Structure formats: C-alpha cells, structure tokens
Amino acid sequence: MEHIKVENLLVNYKTLEKFKRFKEYGNQELTMMEDLQNNIIENDSKSPFFGIYHGNNLIARMSLYEVNKKYDYYFEPPQDYLTIWKLEVLPDYQGRGYGKAMVDFAKGFKLPIKTSPRINSHGFWEKMGFVKAHYEMERDLGENPLIWLPDGVMEKS
Ligand code: COA
C-alpha cells in the first residue's frame, strides 16, 4: 500500500474550504473561520486537526487534543489522554486503510484515547481495539464513549 502521511492541519482559508466537504462540519469550523476573518488567529495557526492529503485533496481528517489528567475520569491512575473527534474519511476513499492510519497515528503518542463515535462506525472502532467506557461523564451522556488503553494503563473501575 502507498505510504500514508498524517499531518497537522494549519488554519487558513484553504484548509477551511476543504473542511466543507466533510459531513461533520459545524460550529467549530465556523468559529475558526470567524477567528481568522477577525484576525483573532493568524493565517497558518496550528489547529487541533490532523489529516491525510491525496494530491491536493484532503481526504481524511480528525480533531485530536490532549486532556489534562486533572480532568480524567476514565483511567487508573489518572492519565493525560487524547480525545478524537470528527474522524471522517471522504466516501470515495473509505475502506482503503485511511481511517486505520489516522487511529494508528493517534495511538503513536502512547497515551490513552477516548472517542464518542457515531452509531454506524462502531464496527470500525471495535476493530481498532476500542472498548466501551464504563464511566460516562454527565456531559457525555448518550455519547457512548469508547476508550483505548495503551500497555500498562487500566480503566478506572
Ligand atoms: N464497520 C465494521 N468494520 C469497519 C467499518 C464499519 N463501519 N469501517 C471500516 N471497517 C473495518 C475495515 O473493514 C477494515 O478492516 P480490515 O483491517 O480487517 O480490512 C478496518 O476497519 C480499517 O478500515 P479502514 O479502511 O481504515 O476504514 P475507513 O478508512 O473507511 O475509515 C471510518 C473508517 C468509519 C472513519 C470511515 O469509513 C468514515 O468516515 N465513515 C463515515 C461515515 C460512517 O461512519 N460510515 C460507517 C459505515 S456506513
């Protein structure tokens, strides 16, 4: 298979235009656009988004950010962990290993990971080794969080 490179996406008009092709486009992207227009953030600021380019096309993306262990309710002992949001591969490119490449990239940080997947992607997450978290934070209710544990980390009981 071709080499797949996952890269950090910079906030600029070009990236934000490419985001419009993804289904999970909403407030976060609109706020980034407004911040750019109002010079609150600079062109080419770092974003929490990572993605895969195929030529000039952004074909997969996810938001990945670190949560401080002060706010950890999932792991034992409390850990800094990563949250994956908005993992999405464009329809024409699904089923070719890009989703797995994104998750493997996140796992490479060797921190526990939490995600709250959409209903129809559970099979994918199961294959990636994610399990249902027992604890649900109040603000996550109904989100059915899934977690991935690196070696040596336990779920909080
Ligand atoms: N259910 C069960 N298994 C799935 C799956 C699903 N929905 N999606 C992928 N898989 C499996 C693949 O068969 C593959 O298994 P293999 O390693 O044994 O061959 C493995 O997970 C990795 O798949 P990959 O090609 O990396 O998946 P992807 O690039 O298509 O990314 C999603 C997966 C869910 C992120 C992507 O399809 C997506 O963004 N979908 C958006 C809409 C959605 O959620 N669709 C779900 C299907 S209707």
Short mmCIF file of all heavy atoms in Angstrom, two decimals, residues 12 29 34-35 38 48 70 72-73 75-76 83 89 94 104 114 117-118 123 126 131 149:
data_model
loop_
_atom_site.label_atom_id
_atom_site.label_comp_id
_atom_site.label_asym_id
_atom_site.label_seq_id
_atom_site.Cartn_x
_atom_site.Cartn_y
_atom_site.Cartn_z
N ASN A 12 -6.09 28.00 7.80
CA ASN A 12 -6.03 29.04 6.76
C ASN A 12 -7.27 28.85 5.90
O ASN A 12 -8.02 27.88 6.05
CB ASN A 12 -4.73 28.96 5.96
CG ASN A 12 -4.50 27.58 5.39
OD1 ASN A 12 -5.41 26.98 4.83
ND2 ASN A 12 -3.29 27.06 5.51
N GLU A 29 -15.77 24.69 13.06
CA GLU A 29 -15.18 25.19 11.81
C GLU A 29 -15.61 26.63 11.55
O GLU A 29 -14.81 27.46 11.13
CB GLU A 29 -15.61 24.31 10.63
CG GLU A 29 -14.99 22.93 10.60
CD GLU A 29 -15.68 21.94 11.52
OE1 GLU A 29 -16.63 22.34 12.23
OE2 GLU A 29 -15.28 20.76 11.52
N GLU A 34 -14.39 32.54 11.56
CA GLU A 34 -14.62 33.89 12.11
C GLU A 34 -13.35 34.42 12.78
O GLU A 34 -12.99 35.59 12.62
CB GLU A 34 -15.75 33.86 13.14
CG GLU A 34 -17.12 33.93 12.48
CD GLU A 34 -18.25 33.67 13.48
OE1 GLU A 34 -18.01 33.76 14.71
OE2 GLU A 34 -19.35 33.36 13.01
N ASP A 35 -12.67 33.54 13.52
CA ASP A 35 -11.44 33.96 14.21
C ASP A 35 -10.37 34.39 13.20
O ASP A 35 -9.61 35.32 13.45
CB ASP A 35 -10.90 32.83 15.09
CG ASP A 35 -11.77 32.62 16.32
OD1 ASP A 35 -12.67 33.45 16.56
OD2 ASP A 35 -11.54 31.62 17.04
N ASN A 38 -11.45 37.77 11.66
CA ASN A 38 -11.33 38.89 12.61
C ASN A 38 -9.91 39.04 13.15
O ASN A 38 -9.69 39.73 14.14
CB ASN A 38 -12.30 38.70 13.78
CG ASN A 38 -13.74 38.73 13.31
OD1 ASN A 38 -14.06 39.45 12.36
ND2 ASN A 38 -14.61 37.95 13.93
N PRO A 48 -6.20 21.93 16.00
CA PRO A 48 -6.23 20.59 16.61
C PRO A 48 -6.50 19.51 15.56
O PRO A 48 -6.62 18.34 15.90
CB PRO A 48 -7.38 20.69 17.61
CG PRO A 48 -8.28 21.75 17.06
CD PRO A 48 -7.40 22.71 16.30
N LYS A 70 -5.88 16.05 35.28
CA LYS A 70 -6.77 16.64 36.31
C LYS A 70 -8.24 16.39 35.97
O LYS A 70 -9.09 16.38 36.83
CB LYS A 70 -6.57 18.17 36.34
CG LYS A 70 -5.43 18.63 37.19
CD LYS A 70 -5.51 20.13 37.41
CE LYS A 70 -5.20 20.88 36.12
NZ LYS A 70 -4.85 22.28 36.27
N ASP A 72 -9.33 13.75 34.17
CA ASP A 72 -9.52 12.37 33.73
C ASP A 72 -10.44 11.61 34.68
O ASP A 72 -10.17 11.51 35.87
CB ASP A 72 -8.16 11.66 33.66
CG ASP A 72 -8.32 10.18 33.37
OD1 ASP A 72 -9.38 9.77 32.87
OD2 ASP A 72 -7.38 9.41 33.67
N TYR A 73 -11.53 11.07 34.13
CA TYR A 73 -12.43 10.22 34.92
C TYR A 73 -12.42 8.79 34.42
O TYR A 73 -13.18 7.97 34.88
CB TYR A 73 -13.87 10.74 34.81
CG TYR A 73 -14.04 12.13 35.33
CD1 TYR A 73 -14.04 13.22 34.46
CD2 TYR A 73 -14.17 12.36 36.70
CE1 TYR A 73 -14.18 14.51 34.94
CE2 TYR A 73 -14.32 13.65 37.18
CZ TYR A 73 -14.31 14.71 36.30
OH TYR A 73 -14.45 15.98 36.77
N PHE A 75 -9.40 6.70 33.54
CA PHE A 75 -8.26 5.79 33.64
C PHE A 75 -7.70 5.73 35.06
O PHE A 75 -7.93 6.62 35.87
CB PHE A 75 -7.18 6.20 32.63
CG PHE A 75 -7.73 6.32 31.23
CD1 PHE A 75 -7.98 7.57 30.66
CD2 PHE A 75 -8.04 5.19 30.50
CE1 PHE A 75 -8.51 7.69 29.39
CE2 PHE A 75 -8.58 5.29 29.22
CZ PHE A 75 -8.82 6.54 28.66
N GLU A 76 -6.95 4.65 35.31
CA GLU A 76 -6.39 4.40 36.65
C GLU A 76 -4.91 4.08 36.53
O GLU A 76 -4.58 3.09 35.85
CB GLU A 76 -7.16 3.21 37.26
CG GLU A 76 -6.90 2.93 38.71
CD GLU A 76 -7.53 3.97 39.62
OE1 GLU A 76 -8.75 4.08 39.60
OE2 GLU A 76 -6.77 4.65 40.32
N THR A 83 -8.26 12.90 23.02
CA THR A 83 -9.65 12.77 22.57
C THR A 83 -9.67 12.88 21.05
O THR A 83 -9.09 13.81 20.50
CB THR A 83 -10.52 13.90 23.15
OG1 THR A 83 -10.46 13.81 24.57
CG2 THR A 83 -11.96 13.74 22.73
N VAL A 89 -13.50 9.90 6.89
CA VAL A 89 -12.82 9.66 5.62
C VAL A 89 -13.86 9.95 4.53
O VAL A 89 -15.01 9.48 4.63
CB VAL A 89 -12.32 8.20 5.52
CG1 VAL A 89 -11.66 7.94 4.17
CG2 VAL A 89 -11.36 7.88 6.66
N GLN A 94 -13.15 5.66 1.51
CA GLN A 94 -13.38 4.76 2.65
C GLN A 94 -12.98 3.33 2.30
O GLN A 94 -13.01 2.94 1.13
CB GLN A 94 -14.85 4.81 3.06
CG GLN A 94 -15.21 6.12 3.76
CD GLN A 94 -16.69 6.30 4.03
OE1 GLN A 94 -17.46 5.33 3.96
NE2 GLN A 94 -17.10 7.51 4.32
N ASP A 104 -4.01 4.85 14.06
CA ASP A 104 -2.65 4.41 14.41
C ASP A 104 -1.77 5.61 14.73
O ASP A 104 -0.92 5.55 15.62
CB ASP A 104 -2.02 3.62 13.24
CG ASP A 104 -2.57 2.21 13.15
OD1 ASP A 104 -3.22 1.75 14.13
OD2 ASP A 104 -2.37 1.55 12.11
N LYS A 114 -9.79 8.52 24.05
CA LYS A 114 -11.24 8.45 24.21
C LYS A 114 -11.89 9.00 22.95
O LYS A 114 -11.41 9.97 22.36
CB LYS A 114 -11.65 9.29 25.40
CG LYS A 114 -13.11 9.22 25.74
CD LYS A 114 -13.60 10.55 26.25
CE LYS A 114 -14.96 10.81 25.69
NZ LYS A 114 -15.40 12.19 25.79
N PRO A 117 -17.99 7.80 19.16
CA PRO A 117 -18.23 7.61 17.73
C PRO A 117 -19.69 7.72 17.34
O PRO A 117 -20.59 7.60 18.17
CB PRO A 117 -17.75 6.19 17.50
CG PRO A 117 -17.98 5.51 18.79
CD PRO A 117 -17.80 6.53 19.86
N ARG A 118 -19.89 7.95 16.05
CA ARG A 118 -21.24 7.89 15.53
C ARG A 118 -21.69 6.43 15.49
O ARG A 118 -20.88 5.52 15.37
CB ARG A 118 -21.29 8.50 14.14
CG ARG A 118 -21.44 9.99 14.22
CD ARG A 118 -21.29 10.59 12.87
NE ARG A 118 -19.96 10.32 12.35
CZ ARG A 118 -19.65 10.41 11.07
NH1 ARG A 118 -20.55 10.74 10.20
NH2 ARG A 118 -18.41 10.18 10.69
N GLY A 123 -18.36 -0.80 14.43
CA GLY A 123 -17.58 -1.95 13.95
C GLY A 123 -16.13 -1.56 13.69
O GLY A 123 -15.21 -2.32 13.99
N GLU A 126 -14.31 -1.03 17.08
CA GLU A 126 -14.06 -2.33 17.71
C GLU A 126 -12.81 -2.96 17.09
O GLU A 126 -11.94 -3.46 17.78
CB GLU A 126 -15.27 -3.22 17.43
CG GLU A 126 -15.55 -4.25 18.49
CD GLU A 126 -16.88 -4.91 18.18
OE1 GLU A 126 -17.93 -4.23 18.32
OE2 GLU A 126 -16.86 -6.08 17.76
N VAL A 131 -12.84 -0.12 23.40
CA VAL A 131 -13.90 -0.79 24.17
C VAL A 131 -14.80 0.28 24.81
O VAL A 131 -14.38 1.42 25.01
CB VAL A 131 -13.32 -1.71 25.27
CG1 VAL A 131 -12.56 -2.87 24.64
CG2 VAL A 131 -12.41 -0.93 26.23
N LEU A 149 -6.73 1.64 25.56
CA LEU A 149 -5.75 1.66 26.64
C LEU A 149 -4.39 1.18 26.14
O LEU A 149 -4.28 0.05 25.67
CB LEU A 149 -6.19 0.70 27.76
CG LEU A 149 -7.57 0.97 28.38
CD1 LEU A 149 -8.08 -0.26 29.13
CD2 LEU A 149 -7.48 2.15 29.33
#
